[in-house]
Amino acid sequence: MRAILCHDIVGLDGLTLGEIADPVAGPGQVRIAVAAAGVNFADSLMITGRYQEKPPLPFVPGLEVAGRIDALGDGVMGLEVGQRVLATVDHGGFAELAVAPAGDVVRLPDQLDEVAAAGFAIAYGTALGALDWRAGLRPGERLLVHGAAGGVGLAAVEVGRAMGAEVTATARGEEKLAVAMERGAVGTVDSETPDLAAKLKEMSGGRGFDVVFDPVGGAVFDASLRAIAWGGRIVLVGFASGKVPQIPANILLVKNAAALGFYWGSYRSRDPQRLQAGFAALFDWHRSGLIRPHVSQVLPLDRSAEAIGLLLDRRSTGKVVIKIRD
């Protein structure tokens, strides 16, 4: 089969298109004929050796796929060859065939096509888990979403709105802010605005935000600390800025605030039933039109390095997807 191979953890230059043996579905596994694969910021970390998972070289990047089940390993129940599914994998998504544990495979509803589904699991799963399971976002609360035009940020705007929150979004530039507004934000702030903390306080009517969703870190996290409401919660889901915040605990103490970490992938082994329930809720919202996956670019398999580069250069909105077959 054709696949993208990472031969060296030097970034995009370490990726090549090659032919490798077809993977085999072992016990409890499912093999998927991949129609499309989602591109994530974590892919850029993995190919530079900076991700928490470090597969041995050479490896195939790609953490989420959509397609049809091609083969079932021994002991797999409740799934059938030919079913349309999405799946999350530790790596291996940028290929014509991918193998996933059966517990990480979810049957697709009819209304969700493979291209949109390829970028659905991680972005919307992270948004729901961070806002619901960790932050306990309630209807009527004020939600601030950073990086709101990216895959996970835009998902958080939609999920926050679906949960009944009043959403304010930050991103770089008017074009990206317009995307967040179109998806349900009631107010926007350019993240490079001078004295961002003061502008955020103003946008909240001086009351501060009840919940902050932060996949960026760095300076926007520092501004969030000043703009968080009493009793507020900041959920950290990533550090796309490249700067991991150092949190002054005295601010959390004075405001009775909380800084919470959230890694959606850890639930795959620790609480898979919660993930399945989360997908059911997300599919219901999609069916009713409350969430609508936004895919800004679709590239073929041989342009996978370019696809990752779009994220690194911040030239995309929503998700970038690699289309592998019709």
Side-chain angles (χ1 to χ4, degrees):
M1 70 172 183
R2 294 187 310 147
I4 295 296
L5 294 170
C6 179
H7 292 279
D8 194 1
I9 51 172
V10 294
L12 302 180
D13 290 339
L15 300 178
T16 60
L17 177 65
E19 290 277 346
I20 60 174
D22 293 352
V24 175
Q29 294 182 326
V30 171
R31 190 172 73 178
I32 298 166
V34 180
V39 182
N40 292 278
F41 186 72
D43 294 314
S44 72
L45 298 178
M46 187 174 286
I47 64 175
T48 54
R50 294 180 294 144
Y51 194 58
Q52 51 261 41
E53 308 286 345
K54 295 179 173 61
L57 296 168
F59 68 88
V60 178
L63 301 173
E64 55 183 345
V65 300
R68 290 186 181 273
I69 294 176
D70 173 75
L72 300 174
D74 291 342
V76 174
M77 305 292 289
L79 295 169
E80 299 176 359
V81 171
Q83 284 181 330
R84 297 171 63 250
V85 295
L86 63 75
T88 48
V89 293
D90 293 330
H91 56 89
F94 297 171
E96 292 178 322
L97 295 168
V99 169
D104 292 332
V105 177
V106 180
R107 186 171 182 179
L108 287 179
D110 292 340
Q111 77 276 5
L112 188 59
D113 67 74
E114 283 89 349
V115 169
F120 191 94
I122 294 175
Y124 284 100
T126 296
L128 177 65
L131 296 177
D132 185 8
W133 312 339
R134 293 295 279 157
L137 179 68
R138 297 183 290 272
E141 287 194 309
R142 298 177 298 277
L143 168 65
L144 174 63
V145 177
H146 292 304
V152 70
L154 196 57
V157 170
E158 291 189 300
V159 169
R161 181 195 59 179
M163 294 178 67
E166 178 185 291
V167 183
T168 296
T170 76
R172 290 183 178 183
E174 292 184 5
E175 181 180 349
K176 291 186 176 182
L177 292 173
V179 173
M181 285 286 286
E182 197 271 332
R183 281 302 195 272
V186 298
T188 60
V189 181
D190 193 304
S191 57
E192 295 187 331
T193 297
D195 199 356
L196 179 60
K199 183 63 176 178
L200 291 174
K201 286 182 180 178
E202 177 187 330
M203 291 295 293
S204 70
R207 299 170 295 172
F209 293 94
D210 302 297
V211 173
V212 177
F213 180 93
D214 185 6
V216 179
V220 298
F221 175 84
D222 297 338
S224 297
L225 275 179
R226 274 77 185 170
I228 194 72
W230 185 92
R233 296 86 74 198
I234 302 176
V235 191
L236 296 159
V237 300
F239 311 108
S241 68
K243 181 183 177 183
V244 178
Q246 302 302 303
I247 303 172
N250 61 307
I251 296 178
L252 299 180
L253 185 153
V254 169
K255 292 192 172 185
N256 273 22
L260 306 164
F262 182 76
Y263 171 40
W264 179 81
S266 64
Y267 285 77
R268 290 168 57 199
S269 59
R270 294 182 177 272
D271 196 351
Q273 291 79 16
R274 176 169 271 190
L275 288 188
Q276 294 291 333
F279 278 122
L282 290 167
F283 290 156
D284 282 345
W285 282 338
H286 180 264
R287 191 175 295 109
S288 65
L290 287 173
I291 60 176
R292 295 176 290 120
H294 173 68
V295 177
S296 60
Q297 285 106 341
V298 180
L299 281 73
L301 183 61
D302 60 2
R303 294 172 63 186
S304 294
E306 181 183 343
I308 297 173
L310 290 171
L311 269 64
L312 291 174
D313 296 339
R314 295 180 171 86
R315 290 183 286 135
S316 63
T317 55
K319 293 291 293 191
V320 176
V321 169
I322 297 168
K323 189 171 183 180
I324 299 170
R325 71 179 84 212
D326 292 328

